[in-house]
Amino acid sequence: MSLIQCPECNNQISDRAVMCPKCGLPMAGGRSGYEYRSQASLFGLPLVHIASGLDPSTGRPRIAKGIIAIGNIAVGGLAIGGLSFGVISFGGLALGLIALGGAAIGLLLALGGMAIGLVAIGGGAIGYYALGGGAFGVHPLGGNVQDPQAVEFFKRFLGSWIEQFQRAGRR
């Protein structure tokens, strides 16, 4: 164990400290996480960037940024993370053109526990076309309402499953 200098307040602290006892800055403390950045790049971004944990130089969370980004916080073409922003985004909170997650906000398609998008499918769904337990929008199909145009729209993609969904909603 050795002493290092806190980048925030210049206090001497253990290299294994979780945070600075003087200013509270989070420290890596041997738990700095992981980072991989591919040599190949496209549009100035690494093809693959995987990042987790804290950046030891700043004490802040690492952010994965790449064509394929994977991490606690991910930003990219394909973003996978707890918090993800991307063209196609998977995560606890996912935002993107197509978003899949616990809470999903997608410009075109959102799938999730709570989904908001042009086409939204989820437990709670808000969208132009919305399908879910609670569906809200211009053409909703859910336990609370069954718009005939929504039935036809979703039937094109989900077939007979929609008829089963409608029967369950009438009970």
Side-chain angles (χ1 to χ4, degrees):
M1 179 168 66
S2 63
L3 293 177
I4 60 170
Q5 196 170 13
C6 172
E8 187 73 24
C9 68
N10 298 322
N11 187 40
Q12 292 290 313
I13 59 175
S14 166
D15 64 347
R16 294 186 185 185
V18 175
M19 64 185 243
C20 176
K22 185 176 178 185
C23 69
L25 179 72
M27 304 302 291
R31 294 178 282 279
S32 60
Y34 175 80
E35 186 158 12
Y36 168 78
R37 197 182 304 254
S38 69
Q39 294 297 317
S41 65
L42 188 61
F43 307 117
L45 293 169
L47 188 58
V48 177
H49 188 195
I50 302 170
S52 68
L54 300 176
D55 183 332
S57 63
T58 64
R60 295 188 175 158
R62 288 187 169 127
I63 299 173
K65 295 179 184 175
I67 302 302
I68 299 171
I70 302 169
N72 298 339
I73 303 171
V75 179
L78 173 62
I80 302 169
L83 176 58
S84 60
F85 304 91
V87 177
I88 300 174
S89 181
F90 296 89
L93 173 57
L95 296 106
L97 200 58
I98 298 173
L100 296 92
I105 301 173
L107 291 176
L108 294 179
L109 175 65
L111 302 169
M114 178 61 205
I116 301 171
L118 182 65
V119 176
I121 302 173
I126 301 171
Y128 187 80
Y129 286 104
L131 173 65
F136 304 92
V138 176
H139 299 292
L141 175 57
N144 58 330
V145 64
Q146 296 191 359
D147 180 279
Q149 190 169 343
V151 171
E152 291 306 312
F153 176 80
F154 287 112
K155 200 180 274 189
R156 282 184 273 178
F157 304 102
L158 303 173
S160 64
W161 183 84
I162 290 300
E163 293 164 5
Q164 294 172 7
F165 181 81
Q166 283 183 287
R167 282 193 293 271
R170 289 185 196 131
R171 292 183 201 171

